[in-house]
mmCIF file of all heavy atoms in Angstrom:
data_model
loop_
_atom_site.group_PDB
_atom_site.id
_atom_site.type_symbol
_atom_site.label_atom_id
_atom_site.label_comp_id
_atom_site.label_asym_id
_atom_site.label_seq_id
_atom_site.Cartn_x
_atom_site.Cartn_y
_atom_site.Cartn_z
ATOM 1 N N VAL A 1 -27.485 -8.984 -5.361
ATOM 2 C CA VAL A 1 -26.839 -9.895 -6.318
ATOM 3 C C VAL A 1 -27.811 -11.010 -6.696
ATOM 4 O O VAL A 1 -27.954 -11.368 -7.877
ATOM 5 C CB VAL A 1 -25.537 -10.470 -5.722
ATOM 6 C CG1 VAL A 1 -25.045 -11.681 -6.520
ATOM 7 C CG2 VAL A 1 -24.451 -9.397 -5.696
ATOM 8 N N ILE A 2 -28.502 -11.563 -5.717
ATOM 9 C CA ILE A 2 -29.467 -12.642 -5.959
ATOM 10 C C ILE A 2 -30.609 -12.146 -6.840
ATOM 11 O O ILE A 2 -30.980 -12.778 -7.841
ATOM 12 C CB ILE A 2 -30.003 -13.167 -4.621
ATOM 13 C CG1 ILE A 2 -28.889 -13.877 -3.837
ATOM 14 C CG2 ILE A 2 -31.201 -14.102 -4.830
ATOM 15 C CD1 ILE A 2 -29.203 -14.080 -2.366
ATOM 16 N N ILE A 3 -31.185 -10.999 -6.500
ATOM 17 C CA ILE A 3 -32.340 -10.478 -7.236
ATOM 18 C C ILE A 3 -31.951 -10.121 -8.674
ATOM 19 O O ILE A 3 -32.691 -10.415 -9.625
ATOM 20 C CB ILE A 3 -32.930 -9.254 -6.504
ATOM 21 C CG1 ILE A 3 -33.506 -9.677 -5.151
ATOM 22 C CG2 ILE A 3 -34.004 -8.589 -7.364
ATOM 23 C CD1 ILE A 3 -33.840 -8.523 -4.236
ATOM 24 N N LEU A 4 -30.793 -9.505 -8.848
ATOM 25 C CA LEU A 4 -30.352 -9.154 -10.201
ATOM 26 C C LEU A 4 -30.157 -10.398 -11.058
ATOM 27 O O LEU A 4 -30.491 -10.411 -12.247
ATOM 28 C CB LEU A 4 -29.059 -8.342 -10.138
ATOM 29 C CG LEU A 4 -29.178 -6.906 -9.639
ATOM 30 C CD1 LEU A 4 -27.793 -6.288 -9.478
ATOM 31 C CD2 LEU A 4 -30.023 -6.060 -10.592
ATOM 32 N N ARG A 5 -29.598 -11.439 -10.463
ATOM 33 C CA ARG A 5 -29.385 -12.666 -11.232
ATOM 34 C C ARG A 5 -30.718 -13.302 -11.626
ATOM 35 O O ARG A 5 -30.894 -13.753 -12.758
ATOM 36 C CB ARG A 5 -28.539 -13.655 -10.423
ATOM 37 C CG ARG A 5 -28.159 -14.922 -11.189
ATOM 38 C CD ARG A 5 -27.313 -14.621 -12.414
ATOM 39 N NE ARG A 5 -27.042 -15.823 -13.199
ATOM 40 C CZ ARG A 5 -26.473 -15.823 -14.397
ATOM 41 N NH1 ARG A 5 -26.120 -14.679 -14.960
ATOM 42 N NH2 ARG A 5 -26.251 -16.947 -15.033
ATOM 43 N N VAL A 6 -31.680 -13.317 -10.702
ATOM 44 C CA VAL A 6 -32.996 -13.859 -11.018
ATOM 45 C C VAL A 6 -33.648 -13.046 -12.134
ATOM 46 O O VAL A 6 -34.163 -13.590 -13.115
ATOM 47 C CB VAL A 6 -33.906 -13.889 -9.773
ATOM 48 C CG1 VAL A 6 -35.329 -14.290 -10.162
ATOM 49 C CG2 VAL A 6 -33.365 -14.851 -8.733
ATOM 50 N N GLY A 7 -33.612 -11.716 -12.001
ATOM 51 C CA GLY A 7 -34.211 -10.866 -13.021
ATOM 52 C C GLY A 7 -33.583 -11.067 -14.382
ATOM 53 O O GLY A 7 -34.262 -11.064 -15.409
ATOM 54 N N HIS A 8 -32.255 -11.265 -14.386
ATOM 55 C CA HIS A 8 -31.541 -11.497 -15.643
ATOM 56 C C HIS A 8 -31.951 -12.832 -16.258
ATOM 57 O O HIS A 8 -32.249 -12.913 -17.461
ATOM 58 C CB HIS A 8 -30.042 -11.466 -15.376
ATOM 59 C CG HIS A 8 -29.206 -11.838 -16.560
ATOM 60 N ND1 HIS A 8 -29.075 -11.025 -17.667
ATOM 61 C CD2 HIS A 8 -28.453 -12.948 -16.819
ATOM 62 C CE1 HIS A 8 -28.278 -11.617 -18.552
ATOM 63 N NE2 HIS A 8 -27.898 -12.777 -18.059
ATOM 64 N N LEU A 9 -31.978 -13.885 -15.450
ATOM 65 C CA LEU A 9 -32.333 -15.204 -15.961
ATOM 66 C C LEU A 9 -33.773 -15.249 -16.465
ATOM 67 O O LEU A 9 -34.077 -15.952 -17.426
ATOM 68 C CB LEU A 9 -32.128 -16.268 -14.883
ATOM 69 C CG LEU A 9 -30.692 -16.564 -14.473
ATOM 70 C CD1 LEU A 9 -30.676 -17.551 -13.312
ATOM 71 C CD2 LEU A 9 -29.878 -17.107 -15.639
ATOM 72 N N ARG A 10 -34.649 -14.508 -15.812
ATOM 73 C CA ARG A 10 -36.069 -14.535 -16.186
ATOM 74 C C ARG A 10 -36.407 -13.483 -17.245
ATOM 75 O O ARG A 10 -37.563 -13.376 -17.655
ATOM 76 C CB ARG A 10 -36.954 -14.319 -14.959
ATOM 77 C CG ARG A 10 -36.717 -15.327 -13.835
ATOM 78 C CD ARG A 10 -36.742 -16.759 -14.311
ATOM 79 N NE ARG A 10 -38.081 -17.193 -14.699
ATOM 80 C CZ ARG A 10 -38.343 -18.294 -15.381
ATOM 81 N NH1 ARG A 10 -37.362 -19.077 -15.766
ATOM 82 N NH2 ARG A 10 -39.575 -18.610 -15.681
ATOM 83 N N GLY A 11 -35.419 -12.715 -17.688
ATOM 84 C CA GLY A 11 -35.672 -11.714 -18.713
ATOM 85 C C GLY A 11 -36.685 -10.674 -18.286
ATOM 86 O O GLY A 11 -37.522 -10.239 -19.083
ATOM 87 N N CYS A 12 -36.606 -10.249 -17.014
ATOM 88 C CA CYS A 12 -37.599 -9.334 -16.453
ATOM 89 C C CYS A 12 -37.035 -7.917 -16.409
ATOM 90 O O CYS A 12 -36.300 -7.555 -15.486
ATOM 91 C CB CYS A 12 -38.018 -9.785 -15.056
ATOM 92 S SG CYS A 12 -39.362 -8.782 -14.380
ATOM 93 N N ALA A 13 -37.401 -7.116 -17.396
ATOM 94 C CA ALA A 13 -36.872 -5.754 -17.488
ATOM 95 C C ALA A 13 -37.297 -4.908 -16.294
ATOM 96 O O ALA A 13 -36.531 -4.050 -15.831
ATOM 97 C CB ALA A 13 -37.338 -5.116 -18.796
ATOM 98 N N TYR A 14 -38.515 -5.129 -15.778
ATOM 99 C CA TYR A 14 -38.985 -4.325 -14.650
ATOM 100 C C TYR A 14 -38.139 -4.583 -13.406
ATOM 101 O O TYR A 14 -37.706 -3.642 -12.727
ATOM 102 C CB TYR A 14 -40.458 -4.622 -14.368
ATOM 103 C CG TYR A 14 -41.105 -3.621 -13.436
ATOM 104 C CD1 TYR A 14 -41.895 -2.598 -13.932
ATOM 105 C CD2 TYR A 14 -40.920 -3.700 -12.055
ATOM 106 C CE1 TYR A 14 -42.488 -1.669 -13.087
ATOM 107 C CE2 TYR A 14 -41.500 -2.784 -11.203
ATOM 108 C CZ TYR A 14 -42.290 -1.769 -11.718
ATOM 109 O OH TYR A 14 -42.865 -0.846 -10.866
ATOM 110 N N GLU A 15 -37.902 -5.844 -13.096
ATOM 111 C CA GLU A 15 -37.059 -6.152 -11.931
ATOM 112 C C GLU A 15 -35.673 -5.538 -12.096
ATOM 113 O O GLU A 15 -35.120 -4.979 -11.137
ATOM 114 C CB GLU A 15 -36.931 -7.669 -11.749
ATOM 115 C CG GLU A 15 -38.016 -8.278 -10.924
ATOM 116 C CD GLU A 15 -37.817 -9.761 -10.637
ATOM 117 O OE1 GLU A 15 -36.829 -10.357 -11.103
ATOM 118 O OE2 GLU A 15 -38.662 -10.322 -9.932
ATOM 119 N N LEU A 16 -35.117 -5.645 -13.288
ATOM 120 C CA LEU A 16 -33.768 -5.111 -13.499
ATOM 121 C C LEU A 16 -33.758 -3.601 -13.403
ATOM 122 O O LEU A 16 -32.821 -3.016 -12.846
ATOM 123 C CB LEU A 16 -33.240 -5.574 -14.855
ATOM 124 C CG LEU A 16 -32.987 -7.081 -14.982
ATOM 125 C CD1 LEU A 16 -32.547 -7.430 -16.397
ATOM 126 C CD2 LEU A 16 -31.933 -7.543 -13.973
ATOM 127 N N GLN A 17 -34.787 -2.933 -13.929
ATOM 128 C CA GLN A 17 -34.834 -1.481 -13.823
ATOM 129 C C GLN A 17 -34.843 -1.042 -12.362
ATOM 130 O O GLN A 17 -34.083 -0.155 -11.954
ATOM 131 C CB GLN A 17 -36.090 -0.947 -14.518
ATOM 132 C CG GLN A 17 -36.236 0.575 -14.422
ATOM 133 C CD GLN A 17 -37.658 1.047 -14.688
ATOM 134 O OE1 GLN A 17 -38.613 0.519 -14.105
ATOM 135 N NE2 GLN A 17 -37.805 2.030 -15.551
ATOM 136 N N GLN A 18 -35.696 -1.668 -11.566
ATOM 137 C CA GLN A 18 -35.803 -1.281 -10.164
ATOM 138 C C GLN A 18 -34.538 -1.621 -9.383
ATOM 139 O O GLN A 18 -34.026 -0.799 -8.609
ATOM 140 C CB GLN A 18 -37.016 -1.978 -9.528
ATOM 141 C CG GLN A 18 -38.358 -1.593 -10.099
ATOM 142 C CD GLN A 18 -38.710 -0.152 -9.784
ATOM 143 O OE1 GLN A 18 -38.143 0.471 -8.905
ATOM 144 N NE2 GLN A 18 -39.646 0.391 -10.525
ATOM 145 N N HIS A 19 -34.036 -2.823 -9.579
ATOM 146 C CA HIS A 19 -32.979 -3.293 -8.690
ATOM 147 C C HIS A 19 -31.578 -2.916 -9.157
ATOM 148 O O HIS A 19 -30.638 -2.966 -8.345
ATOM 149 C CB HIS A 19 -33.135 -4.792 -8.442
ATOM 150 C CG HIS A 19 -34.236 -5.067 -7.474
ATOM 151 N ND1 HIS A 19 -34.050 -5.011 -6.110
ATOM 152 C CD2 HIS A 19 -35.557 -5.330 -7.668
ATOM 153 C CE1 HIS A 19 -35.200 -5.249 -5.503
ATOM 154 N NE2 HIS A 19 -36.129 -5.441 -6.434
ATOM 155 N N ARG A 20 -31.403 -2.516 -10.390
ATOM 156 C CA ARG A 20 -30.111 -1.946 -10.762
ATOM 157 C C ARG A 20 -29.890 -0.645 -10.014
ATOM 158 O O ARG A 20 -28.785 -0.364 -9.549
ATOM 159 C CB ARG A 20 -30.021 -1.733 -12.277
ATOM 160 C CG ARG A 20 -29.981 -3.019 -13.086
ATOM 161 C CD ARG A 20 -29.389 -2.828 -14.454
ATOM 162 N NE ARG A 20 -27.945 -2.602 -14.347
ATOM 163 C CZ ARG A 20 -27.103 -2.651 -15.369
ATOM 164 N NH1 ARG A 20 -27.557 -2.924 -16.589
ATOM 165 N NH2 ARG A 20 -25.820 -2.442 -15.198
ATOM 166 N N ARG A 21 -30.944 0.141 -9.863
ATOM 167 C CA ARG A 21 -30.830 1.404 -9.117
ATOM 168 C C ARG A 21 -30.658 1.139 -7.630
ATOM 169 O O ARG A 21 -29.799 1.758 -6.970
ATOM 170 C CB ARG A 21 -32.066 2.266 -9.368
ATOM 171 C CG ARG A 21 -32.174 2.798 -10.786
ATOM 172 C CD ARG A 21 -33.359 3.703 -10.976
ATOM 173 N NE ARG A 21 -34.618 2.978 -10.865
ATOM 174 C CZ ARG A 21 -35.811 3.527 -11.101
ATOM 175 N NH1 ARG A 21 -35.914 4.781 -11.459
ATOM 176 N NH2 ARG A 21 -36.909 2.804 -10.978
ATOM 177 N N LEU A 22 -31.474 0.238 -7.091
ATOM 178 C CA LEU A 22 -31.377 -0.051 -5.658
ATOM 179 C C LEU A 22 -30.033 -0.697 -5.332
ATOM 180 O O LEU A 22 -29.435 -0.409 -4.283
ATOM 181 C CB LEU A 22 -32.531 -0.967 -5.246
ATOM 182 C CG LEU A 22 -32.639 -1.298 -3.759
ATOM 183 C CD1 LEU A 22 -32.725 -0.038 -2.926
ATOM 184 C CD2 LEU A 22 -33.845 -2.198 -3.495
ATOM 185 N N ALA A 23 -29.534 -1.563 -6.195
ATOM 186 C CA ALA A 23 -28.244 -2.219 -5.957
ATOM 187 C C ALA A 23 -27.114 -1.199 -5.889
ATOM 188 O O ALA A 23 -26.200 -1.329 -5.064
ATOM 189 C CB ALA A 23 -27.975 -3.241 -7.055
ATOM 190 N N LEU A 24 -27.166 -0.181 -6.731
ATOM 191 C CA LEU A 24 -26.131 0.866 -6.677
ATOM 192 C C LEU A 24 -26.144 1.553 -5.317
ATOM 193 O O LEU A 24 -25.085 1.811 -4.737
ATOM 194 C CB LEU A 24 -26.357 1.885 -7.788
ATOM 195 C CG LEU A 24 -26.011 1.444 -9.211
ATOM 196 C CD1 LEU A 24 -26.460 2.497 -10.219
ATOM 197 C CD2 LEU A 24 -24.504 1.199 -9.349
ATOM 198 N N ARG A 25 -27.326 1.834 -4.798
ATOM 199 C CA ARG A 25 -27.421 2.486 -3.488
ATOM 200 C C ARG A 25 -26.945 1.567 -2.370
ATOM 201 O O ARG A 25 -26.520 2.035 -1.314
ATOM 202 C CB ARG A 25 -28.860 2.926 -3.222
ATOM 203 C CG ARG A 25 -29.369 3.987 -4.180
ATOM 204 C CD ARG A 25 -30.486 4.801 -3.585
ATOM 205 N NE ARG A 25 -31.675 4.028 -3.296
ATOM 206 C CZ ARG A 25 -32.697 3.905 -4.142
ATOM 207 N NH1 ARG A 25 -32.663 4.480 -5.325
ATOM 208 N NH2 ARG A 25 -33.757 3.197 -3.797
ATOM 209 N N ARG A 26 -27.003 0.267 -2.604
ATOM 210 C CA ARG A 26 -26.592 -0.692 -1.580
ATOM 211 C C ARG A 26 -25.155 -1.177 -1.770
ATOM 212 O O ARG A 26 -24.726 -2.105 -1.089
ATOM 213 C CB ARG A 26 -27.554 -1.880 -1.586
ATOM 214 C CG ARG A 26 -28.941 -1.516 -1.060
ATOM 215 C CD ARG A 26 -29.896 -2.688 -1.076
ATOM 216 N NE ARG A 26 -31.054 -2.442 -0.224
ATOM 217 C CZ ARG A 26 -32.030 -3.315 0.025
ATOM 218 N NH1 ARG A 26 -31.983 -4.510 -0.560
ATOM 219 N NH2 ARG A 26 -33.029 -3.013 0.813
ATOM 220 N N GLY A 27 -24.422 -0.572 -2.683
ATOM 221 C CA GLY A 27 -22.998 -0.876 -2.811
ATOM 222 C C GLY A 27 -22.634 -1.896 -3.871
ATOM 223 O O GLY A 27 -21.483 -2.339 -3.917
ATOM 224 N N VAL A 28 -23.581 -2.278 -4.731
ATOM 225 C CA VAL A 28 -23.271 -3.191 -5.833
ATOM 226 C C VAL A 28 -23.068 -2.320 -7.070
ATOM 227 O O VAL A 28 -24.045 -1.892 -7.700
ATOM 228 C CB VAL A 28 -24.397 -4.220 -6.056
ATOM 229 C CG1 VAL A 28 -24.023 -5.202 -7.157
ATOM 230 C CG2 VAL A 28 -24.693 -4.965 -4.760
ATOM 231 N N ASP A 29 -21.818 -2.034 -7.400
ATOM 232 C CA ASP A 29 -21.536 -1.064 -8.458
ATOM 233 C C ASP A 29 -21.793 -1.650 -9.850
ATOM 234 O O ASP A 29 -22.112 -2.835 -10.009
ATOM 235 C CB ASP A 29 -20.101 -0.540 -8.342
ATOM 236 C CG ASP A 29 -19.051 -1.636 -8.451
ATOM 237 O OD1 ASP A 29 -19.330 -2.710 -9.029
ATOM 238 O OD2 ASP A 29 -17.922 -1.423 -7.944
ATOM 239 N N ASP A 30 -21.645 -0.805 -10.861
ATOM 240 C CA ASP A 30 -21.945 -1.221 -12.234
ATOM 241 C C ASP A 30 -21.061 -2.378 -12.683
ATOM 242 O O ASP A 30 -21.518 -3.272 -13.400
ATOM 243 C CB ASP A 30 -21.754 -0.037 -13.196
ATOM 244 C CG ASP A 30 -22.866 0.996 -13.079
ATOM 245 O OD1 ASP A 30 -24.017 0.597 -12.818
ATOM 246 O OD2 ASP A 30 -22.583 2.193 -13.254
ATOM 247 N N HIS A 31 -19.792 -2.374 -12.262
ATOM 248 C CA HIS A 31 -18.898 -3.454 -12.667
ATOM 249 C C HIS A 31 -19.362 -4.787 -12.074
ATOM 250 O O HIS A 31 -19.394 -5.807 -12.779
ATOM 251 C CB HIS A 31 -17.464 -3.164 -12.217
ATOM 252 C CG HIS A 31 -16.524 -4.299 -12.474
ATOM 253 N ND1 HIS A 31 -16.047 -4.605 -13.733
ATOM 254 C CD2 HIS A 31 -16.000 -5.237 -11.637
ATOM 255 C CE1 HIS A 31 -15.267 -5.663 -13.668
ATOM 256 N NE2 HIS A 31 -15.220 -6.064 -12.411
ATOM 257 N N THR A 32 -19.722 -4.781 -10.797
ATOM 258 C CA THR A 32 -20.194 -6.013 -10.162
ATOM 259 C C THR A 32 -21.496 -6.481 -10.804
ATOM 260 O O THR A 32 -21.701 -7.682 -11.020
ATOM 261 C CB THR A 32 -20.387 -5.792 -8.659
ATOM 262 O OG1 THR A 32 -19.155 -5.342 -8.081
ATOM 263 C CG2 THR A 32 -20.823 -7.077 -7.966
ATOM 264 N N GLN A 33 -22.372 -5.544 -11.125
ATOM 265 C CA GLN A 33 -23.613 -5.924 -11.793
ATOM 266 C C GLN A 33 -23.329 -6.586 -13.142
ATOM 267 O O GLN A 33 -23.972 -7.583 -13.499
ATOM 268 C CB GLN A 33 -24.501 -4.701 -11.979
ATOM 269 C CG GLN A 33 -25.048 -4.135 -10.669
ATOM 270 C CD GLN A 33 -26.060 -3.030 -10.888
ATOM 271 O OE1 GLN A 33 -26.780 -3.005 -11.885
ATOM 272 N NE2 GLN A 33 -26.135 -2.094 -9.942
ATOM 273 N N ALA A 34 -22.379 -6.042 -13.880
ATOM 274 C CA ALA A 34 -22.019 -6.648 -15.170
ATOM 275 C C ALA A 34 -21.486 -8.060 -14.976
ATOM 276 O O ALA A 34 -21.757 -8.965 -15.787
ATOM 277 C CB ALA A 34 -20.985 -5.777 -15.877
ATOM 278 N N GLU A 35 -20.741 -8.281 -13.898
ATOM 279 C CA GLU A 35 -20.226 -9.618 -13.611
ATOM 280 C C GLU A 35 -21.367 -10.579 -13.262
ATOM 281 O O GLU A 35 -21.341 -11.757 -13.644
ATOM 282 C CB GLU A 35 -19.227 -9.552 -12.447
ATOM 283 C CG GLU A 35 -17.935 -8.800 -12.758
ATOM 284 C CD GLU A 35 -17.010 -9.615 -13.653
ATOM 285 O OE1 GLU A 35 -16.331 -10.510 -13.148
ATOM 286 O OE2 GLU A 35 -16.993 -9.341 -14.868
ATOM 287 N N VAL A 36 -22.362 -10.078 -12.548
ATOM 288 C CA VAL A 36 -23.531 -10.900 -12.220
ATOM 289 C C VAL A 36 -24.236 -11.352 -13.499
ATOM 290 O O VAL A 36 -24.629 -12.523 -13.633
ATOM 291 C CB VAL A 36 -24.505 -10.115 -11.317
ATOM 292 C CG1 VAL A 36 -25.851 -10.846 -11.185
ATOM 293 C CG2 VAL A 36 -23.889 -9.887 -9.932
ATOM 294 N N PHE A 37 -24.371 -10.447 -14.445
ATOM 295 C CA PHE A 37 -25.055 -10.782 -15.700
ATOM 296 C C PHE A 37 -24.196 -11.697 -16.577
ATOM 297 O O PHE A 37 -24.731 -12.502 -17.341
ATOM 298 C CB PHE A 37 -25.421 -9.517 -16.455
ATOM 299 C CG PHE A 37 -26.291 -8.566 -15.686
ATOM 300 C CD1 PHE A 37 -26.115 -7.193 -15.788
ATOM 301 C CD2 PHE A 37 -27.277 -9.043 -14.837
ATOM 302 C CE1 PHE A 37 -26.914 -6.318 -15.075
ATOM 303 C CE2 PHE A 37 -28.081 -8.178 -14.108
ATOM 304 C CZ PHE A 37 -27.896 -6.797 -14.225
ATOM 305 N N ALA A 38 -22.872 -11.569 -16.483
ATOM 306 C CA ALA A 38 -21.980 -12.372 -17.319
ATOM 307 C C ALA A 38 -21.743 -13.774 -16.767
ATOM 308 O O ALA A 38 -21.226 -14.634 -17.482
ATOM 309 C CB ALA A 38 -20.631 -11.661 -17.475
ATOM 310 N N TRP A 39 -22.080 -14.003 -15.506
ATOM 311 C CA TRP A 39 -21.874 -15.311 -14.894
ATOM 312 C C TRP A 39 -22.480 -16.407 -15.777
ATOM 313 O O TRP A 39 -23.543 -16.192 -16.345
ATOM 314 C CB TRP A 39 -22.510 -15.317 -13.498
ATOM 315 C CG TRP A 39 -22.473 -16.635 -12.820
ATOM 316 C CD1 TRP A 39 -23.481 -17.549 -12.729
ATOM 317 C CD2 TRP A 39 -21.354 -17.212 -12.146
ATOM 318 N NE1 TRP A 39 -23.071 -18.644 -12.037
ATOM 319 C CE2 TRP A 39 -21.763 -18.471 -11.666
ATOM 320 C CE3 TRP A 39 -20.051 -16.785 -11.904
ATOM 321 C CZ2 TRP A 39 -20.916 -19.311 -10.962
ATOM 322 C CZ3 TRP A 39 -19.213 -17.605 -11.199
ATOM 323 C CH2 TRP A 39 -19.638 -18.857 -10.742
ATOM 324 N N PRO A 40 -21.820 -17.548 -15.943
ATOM 325 C CA PRO A 40 -20.616 -18.059 -15.266
ATOM 326 C C PRO A 40 -19.297 -17.689 -15.955
ATOM 327 O O PRO A 40 -18.261 -18.263 -15.630
ATOM 328 C CB PRO A 40 -20.838 -19.580 -15.324
ATOM 329 C CG PRO A 40 -21.576 -19.779 -16.605
ATOM 330 C CD PRO A 40 -22.472 -18.592 -16.765
ATOM 331 N N ASN A 41 -19.338 -16.749 -16.883
ATOM 332 C CA ASN A 41 -18.111 -16.310 -17.548
ATOM 333 C C ASN A 41 -17.490 -15.093 -16.889
ATOM 334 O O ASN A 41 -16.587 -14.473 -17.448
ATOM 335 C CB ASN A 41 -18.418 -15.995 -19.022
ATOM 336 C CG ASN A 41 -18.921 -17.217 -19.773
ATOM 337 O OD1 ASN A 41 -18.389 -18.309 -19.616
ATOM 338 N ND2 ASN A 41 -19.967 -17.044 -20.573
ATOM 339 N N ALA A 42 -17.993 -14.740 -15.711
ATOM 340 C CA ALA A 42 -17.433 -13.603 -14.976
ATOM 341 C C ALA A 42 -16.065 -13.968 -14.413
ATOM 342 O O ALA A 42 -15.801 -15.119 -14.076
ATOM 343 C CB ALA A 42 -18.378 -13.206 -13.850
ATOM 344 N N GLU A 43 -15.206 -12.970 -14.308
ATOM 345 C CA GLU A 43 -13.821 -13.221 -13.876
ATOM 346 C C GLU A 43 -13.512 -12.661 -12.496
ATOM 347 O O GLU A 43 -12.571 -13.120 -11.854
ATOM 348 C CB GLU A 43 -12.851 -12.617 -14.897
ATOM 349 C CG GLU A 43 -12.960 -13.244 -16.290
ATOM 350 C CD GLU A 43 -12.014 -12.594 -17.279
ATOM 351 O OE1 GLU A 43 -11.385 -11.568 -16.907
ATOM 352 O OE2 GLU A 43 -11.909 -13.095 -18.416
ATOM 353 N N LYS A 44 -14.276 -11.676 -12.042
ATOM 354 C CA LYS A 44 -13.873 -10.978 -10.827
ATOM 355 C C LYS A 44 -14.950 -11.000 -9.756
ATOM 356 O O LYS A 44 -15.126 -10.035 -9.026
ATOM 357 C CB LYS A 44 -13.492 -9.528 -11.163
ATOM 358 C CG LYS A 44 -12.280 -9.422 -12.082
ATOM 359 C CD LYS A 44 -11.882 -7.979 -12.326
ATOM 360 C CE LYS A 44 -10.653 -7.898 -13.222
ATOM 361 N NZ LYS A 44 -10.248 -6.493 -13.493
ATOM 362 N N VAL A 45 -15.657 -12.105 -9.655
ATOM 363 C CA VAL A 45 -16.600 -12.245 -8.549
ATOM 364 C C VAL A 45 -15.898 -12.932 -7.386
ATOM 365 O O VAL A 45 -14.973 -13.718 -7.577
ATOM 366 C CB VAL A 45 -17.854 -13.045 -8.969
ATOM 367 C CG1 VAL A 45 -18.646 -12.295 -10.023
ATOM 368 C CG2 VAL A 45 -17.478 -14.425 -9.469
ATOM 369 N N SER A 46 -16.340 -12.618 -6.182
ATOM 370 C CA SER A 46 -15.739 -13.224 -4.994
ATOM 371 C C SER A 46 -16.214 -14.666 -4.853
ATOM 372 O O SER A 46 -17.180 -15.100 -5.503
ATOM 373 C CB SER A 46 -16.140 -12.430 -3.758
ATOM 374 O OG SER A 46 -17.534 -12.543 -3.514
#
């Protein structure tokens, strides 16, 4: 979650490419990733 948010804020396509795949393997599903990118307008983050 931390790495995806950093990659999103820094506009780093390489970080996002690598860590979107790794995050899925670690249990951060596509919906949660979308919420990370939508923050602070996300509605369903813990």
Side-chain angles (χ1 to χ4, degrees):
V1 165
I2 293 164
I3 294 168
L4 288 173
R5 185 62 184 171
V6 173
H8 174 71
L9 291 175
R10 303 310 290 167
C12 186
Y14 193 100
E15 272 185 359
L16 293 177
Q17 179 199 50
Q18 296 292 343
H19 283 276
R20 292 202 71 167
R21 292 183 292 186
L22 184 56
L24 286 173
R25 296 204 296 266
R26 290 180 163 184
V28 183
D29 60 23
D30 287 326
H31 174 75
T32 303
Q33 292 187 30
E35 293 286 281
V36 169
F37 302 142
W39 175 260
N41 298 317
E43 297 178 353
K44 296 183 179 179
V45 295
S46 67

